[in-house]
Amino acid sequence: MPGVLSQLVMNREPLHFAAVDIGSNAARLLLANVFEDEGDGTWTSRKASLLRMPVRLGDDVFLTGRISDRKASKLTNTIMGFKYLIDAFEPQAVMACATSAMREAENGMRLCDEIFEKSGIRIQVIEGKREAEIILENRRREIIGDDENVLFIDVGGGSTEITILSGGKIVDSRSFNIGSIRLANDLVRQEDWQRMKRWLKETASGHGPLSSIGSGGNIKAIFGLSNTPFGKPISRKKIREMRDFLKWFTPDELVAKLGLKPDRADVIAPASDIYINAMKWAGAKKMHVPMLGLADGMIHVMYKDYKHGTEKEIEKEETVRDSSLSR
């Protein structure tokens, strides 16, 4: 792999892209280098830097329906800090997306407008289906085969996005108001669980045996703590064992003894319940946990848009040149 990467670097200086992911639990900034191989048209992205700020918008929104002044100020300062790093990185493009908490906050769009006025960073508030599509932009065909039926589960602080794929294409996708922060604060209704259960049993049954893919910081942490070999799937039984193990500790003990982040420690066990139930109701026994997320998918979206724009500019220049030569 180092040899391949060296060749890519030799062919062209990397392109730079910046992705901002504003979730219910944390805001993240991913700065990525994209290396192109002019020989065969392939490309690869490499993380230059990843920053995470535990803003916890969901703590406000799922209890009160709005983002408090304190959290709004914290998010604004976070994005302003990201702005200066982005400016120094000089990316070809910047993309910022916000998910469940910002969607539900009655003052969410107003806060996005205020942040844009101060930082120049425009935040897209996206629906659950679009979130799943962007996440799956990241190495989809490296993760699943074109002939596989796949259950994709992305658990966030405020919602869970579940997508069924068949033949490499999305055939159905739903968002449920079941998230790790909601569950930790006893804000998930029984009817929400029943809605997820019904949909999974009805939808999954029509697509045969399902491979499953898990996305989100909590499943990555569970995977790491489980000592499952990288690249191998983790079983539903193992996730349940890890859930039971984690519940023996207080959040403070999880931070001190297992090294979890403070804003992860109080939601990791509730998140595991969501993965376990979704897998059980869909009949999936194992889960692949690739190191992908919304920010990684945004890098792919931006690169594709950049290439499309570049190709259009080239076509425009060729049309102008041909027209000039024909005179």
Side-chain angles (χ1 to χ4, degrees), residues 14-25:
L15 300 169
H16 297 160
F17 296 93
V20 178
D21 168 12
I22 304 168
S24 302
N25 199 32

Side-chain angles (χ1 to χ4, degrees), residues 263-284:
D263 64 305
R264 177 82 61 215
D266 62 336
V267 296
I268 189 169
S272 64
D273 285 328
I274 303 172
Y275 290 107
I276 291 165
N277 283 330
M279 292 174 72
K280 179 176 68 176
W281 294 330

Side-chain angles (χ1 to χ4, degrees), residues 253-264:
E253 288 172 335
L254 290 174
V255 173
K257 297 181 179 181
L258 298 183
L260 293 182
K261 295 180 175 68
D263 64 305
R264 177 82 61 215

Side-chain angles (χ1 to χ4, degrees), residues 162-176:
I162 301 181
T163 304
I164 304 288
L165 299 99
S166 183
K169 296 180 180 179
I170 294 174
V171 295
D172 209 341
S173 184
R174 289 290 172 89
S175 179
F176 301 91

Side-chain angles (χ1 to χ4, degrees), residues 1-12:
M1 190 64 189
V4 174
L5 186 56
S6 298
Q7 183 62 42
L8 289 169
V9 175
M10 288 174 61
N11 284 340
R12 180 178 292 183

Side-chain angles (χ1 to χ4, degrees), residues 217-277:
N218 287 300
I219 193 63
K220 293 175 188 174
I222 291 167
F223 183 87
L225 290 170
S226 73
N227 292 319
T228 302
F230 184 76
K232 299 291 184 181
I234 184 172
S235 68
R236 189 173 81 213
K237 179 182 177 183
K238 187 66 176 180
I239 298 173
R240 187 181 298 111
E241 289 173 357
M242 291 303 303
R243 185 268 319 272
D244 294 341
F245 170 71
L246 292 167
K247 285 186 174 180
W248 278 100
F249 300 91
T250 67
D252 288 343
E253 288 172 335
L254 290 174
V255 173
K257 297 181 179 181
L258 298 183
L260 293 182
K261 295 180 175 68
D263 64 305
R264 177 82 61 215
D266 62 336
V267 296
I268 189 169
S272 64
D273 285 328
I274 303 172
Y275 290 107
I276 291 165
N277 283 330

Side-chain angles (χ1 to χ4, degrees), residues 195-214:
R195 191 167 68 91
M196 178 190 283
K197 181 179 181 178
R198 281 195 303 270
W199 183 82
L200 275 168
K201 283 185 170 291
E202 293 171 1
T203 309
S205 64
H207 294 283
L210 289 166
S211 301
S212 68
I213 296 173

